[in-house]
Amino acid sequence: MKYFFLLKKTIPFLFIVLVFSCKPREELVYYQNIDGLAAPEKSNTYEIKIQPDDLLLIIVSAEDPESAIPFNLNTISVPSTGVSSIYLRGQESMQSYLVDLSGAIDFPILGTLKVGGLSRLELLQLLKSQISKYIKNPIINIRLMNFKVSVQGEVTLPGTYSINSDRVTLIEALSMAKDLTIYGKRDNILIIREGNGVKSYNRVDITKADFINSPFYYLAQNDVVYVEPNKTKINGAAVGSNTGVIISITSLLITVITFIVTSTN
């Protein structure tokens, strides 16, 4: 009889473990209401804004290559079959401009330019209008060289990821980190963003499809994405690393008690 009493005490413990191990669909599935989501009035055309410490690759060319030389860093003119050509020395970083803390860069011929807060297109228009005073039909190529985001918390592969384009979505960043673990809270993802020296903290619920119309669907350079652990992970950490051992011992105990009860009957 005492074995039966012990068995009754042990089974509820295992039942609790199983309940906490199972997660409802609402906590795991992304874009749950996407079928009923109204189409946005206009597409999300988010553009990043240039910030201090951004590294900008800016290359100027023109129909007459010689005329563009003064507007580039570390360039030389080499005659080739009677036609002058511009050759860039070294790596692309040799053509890069670091935006200072005041949001400015020092550009050849043009001098100090205030670029902080401008989009890439706005900077392109500014440079084109200024350089057109000196050369005809300038062609300007601008690229942000150090766009990166950091993904932390309950993801498979946390880390800092470099981005090769002008923008990246939250889902793309999470995919780079190999998606959330089963313990990640999908309805409360924190995005830390800094703009104009001011930090903002924002929460995003990716289980609801309307987040794709959010200002935080697209990430800005240097954003930090933090996936908070759910209660199961927190409770598991509180129990400690011996949970597996406890469950194994309990399972063995149930087996032994069952065997003894069966034998006595």
Side-chain angles (χ1 to χ4, degrees), residues 176-206:
M176 292 175 190
K178 307 303 180 185
D179 208 354
L180 283 71
T181 70
I182 195 68
Y183 300 110
K185 292 186 69 173
R186 288 148 172 78
D187 61 350
N188 197 34
I189 295 176
L190 174 65
I191 298 177
I192 303 173
R193 177 171 297 176
E194 182 173 353
N196 299 320
V198 179
K199 288 185 173 63
S200 63
Y201 308 90
N202 309 277
R203 305 278 180 174
V204 175
D205 180 358
I206 62 174

Side-chain angles (χ1 to χ4, degrees), residues 162-181:
S162 297
I163 311 299
N164 292 325
S165 65
D166 277 354
R167 61 184 186 176
V168 62
T169 68
L170 172 60
I171 292 302
E172 287 172 331
L174 293 173
S175 297
M176 292 175 190
K178 307 303 180 185
D179 208 354
L180 283 71
T181 70

